[in-house]
Amino acid sequence: MVLELALLIVLGTSAWVFQGTRATAERVGSHSVPSIQHVLAAHAALVEADQAAVASFRSGAVGLTGPGERYQNQIALAGQSLTQLAVDSIAGAGVGQSIQLVQGQLAAYSGLIEQADAHFRKDPASVLATADLWYASRLLHMPDGILDQLDDLLAVEQRALDDQLTAGRMAPGWMAVWIVPAAVLLGLLVATQVFLSRRFRRTFNPPLIAATLAVLALAAGMSSDVAARRELTATRQAGATLVGVWQARIDAADQRGQTMLGEAVAQACPGACDDLAIAKAAGESPAEETLTARIKDVDGHAAAAAATTGRLVLLLLAALIAMALVPLGLYPRIDEYR
């Protein structure tokens, strides 16, 4: 009876821990990691769009093609990323409100760029076009502006990922919930076989030996749960590296765009707009290949974590086999004793 109860406890805790890891791996791979990437993609797209708009006004191409195809593509990409973020994020209801705020600010930004385009077409020498362009860029860069809002969203998504990997059934202590009952069960099985061997003078009890092997197989199979947790930890670490690389590319592009904007302002009103001038030294931008490799690294760890959690049925089958073998090993000895 005690062995059967111990087997039931091990069966229940194994399923509980394993299911928790699998659910977390699925959420991380399909929601948390994509959400972080959506925020970064939106941030990068808006910086690229702003740089493209400034370049178009500086070159005068805006008079023929407007802010340009590159600007339009990046604005569309930013909008798509925000829409996907609203779908994938599981960081709480506040995320939806923040996304709506960013989308509203983005519409205001696009309106200012269109207004600058209209002023430029009327008079390429008009200071109004440059002023609208400057105000549009300030809408991105000012405190609590669009880029600040995206930084806040990124922090929220990163905290959500950290919480998923450190709280609930993913907390380090949860493995003890399974390990302790499994160790007790193995000890009981060994002790029972030793007792039966001494009491009935029979060295081997094949059903109990098979049950012990089934429990050992269950314990070995649970190593895949440990591997999944390691992959999830690696996902978080690779994600932090990805954020750093992506942010460096964003900062470098932003610095180039802001430098061009400062030059455009200085050209539009030399000596009269010094308080509006912007000048930033362009930093080094990580190569596109580096960014791609980091994205693949994060996605690879997340996929590996999900792949290692697909053995639950086999583990439960091993536990059920052990539960069936224990009575086969004990009842003959009980009848013999009677």
Side-chain angles (χ1 to χ4, degrees), residues 9-323:
I9 292 174
V10 170
L11 176 62
T13 54
S14 298
W16 185 254
V17 171
F18 213 95
Q19 181 60 29
T21 305
R22 179 168 65 180
T24 300
E26 290 175 352
R27 286 196 300 270
V28 167
S30 60
H31 293 283
S32 298
V33 167
S35 293
I36 290 173
Q37 293 178 353
H38 293 327
V39 177
L40 290 168
H43 197 151
L46 287 176
V47 167
E48 291 286 346
D50 195 51
Q51 180 185 357
V54 172
S56 181
F57 277 89
R58 280 193 66 200
S59 65
V62 65
L64 298 175
T65 62
E69 183 178 354
R70 181 181 165 212
Y71 164 83
Q72 299 291 348
N73 290 341
Q74 293 301 321
I75 287 293
L77 177 58
Q80 291 170 4
S81 297
L82 290 172
T83 301
Q84 285 298 316
L85 175 62
V87 172
D88 290 332
S89 177
I90 54 175
V95 171
Q97 297 174 354
S98 297
I99 292 173
Q100 290 179 356
L101 175 60
V102 171
Q103 289 173 330
Q105 291 177 317
L106 183 55
Y109 170 84
S110 299
L112 284 170
I113 294 295
E114 292 173 2
Q115 187 171 299
D117 180 22
H119 284 137
F120 187 92
R121 289 176 185 272
K122 289 181 181 178
D123 180 10
S126 173
V127 178
L128 293 177
T130 304
D132 287 334
L133 186 63
W134 186 89
Y135 280 120
S137 187
R138 287 308 90 203
L139 190 57
L140 286 182
H141 294 88
M142 67 181 183
D144 293 328
I146 299 176
L147 299 185
D148 267 5
Q149 294 292 333
L150 289 176
D151 286 339
D152 291 342
L153 280 171
L154 177 61
V156 169
E157 296 298 337
Q158 288 180 302
R159 282 196 301 270
L161 175 60
D162 290 343
D163 289 344
Q164 288 179 57
L165 300 184
T166 57
R169 280 178 277 181
M170 294 303 296
W174 263 101
M175 286 304 294
V177 173
W178 173 82
I179 292 173
V180 172
V184 170
L185 174 59
L186 286 171
L188 287 173
L189 284 169
V190 172
T192 300
Q193 292 177 73
V194 171
F195 171 78
L196 292 177
S197 176
R198 291 177 177 176
R199 179 67 179 77
F200 297 98
R201 300 184 183 280
R202 297 186 180 181
T203 305
F204 300 108
N205 187 310
L208 287 183
I209 291 175
T212 303
L213 292 176
V215 173
L216 289 173
L218 172 62
M222 283 297 289
S223 64
S224 65
D225 185 88
V226 177
R229 289 168 181 254
R230 283 201 301 265
E231 289 292 348
L232 288 172
T233 300
T235 300
R236 179 171 59 177
Q237 295 170 345
T241 302
L242 170 63
V243 170
V245 171
W246 210 329
Q247 195 65 58
R249 285 181 59 86
I250 292 171
D251 290 343
D254 192 33
Q255 288 167 354
R256 291 192 297 270
Q258 290 298 282
T259 299
M260 286 193 298
L261 179 59
E263 293 171 354
V265 169
Q267 183 179 359
C269 50
C273 304
D274 291 341
D275 56 332
L276 303 183
I278 305 168
K280 291 187 175 183
E284 182 178 354
S285 176
E288 180 71 26
E289 293 77 8
T290 301
L291 178 61
T292 302
R294 296 303 181 188
I295 293 174
K296 288 182 178 179
D297 191 28
V298 174
D299 292 342
H301 284 300
T308 56
T309 60
R311 306 172 185 172
L312 180 59
V313 174
L314 296 178
L315 300 183
L316 298 183
L317 181 61
L320 292 174
I321 290 173
M323 292 180 68

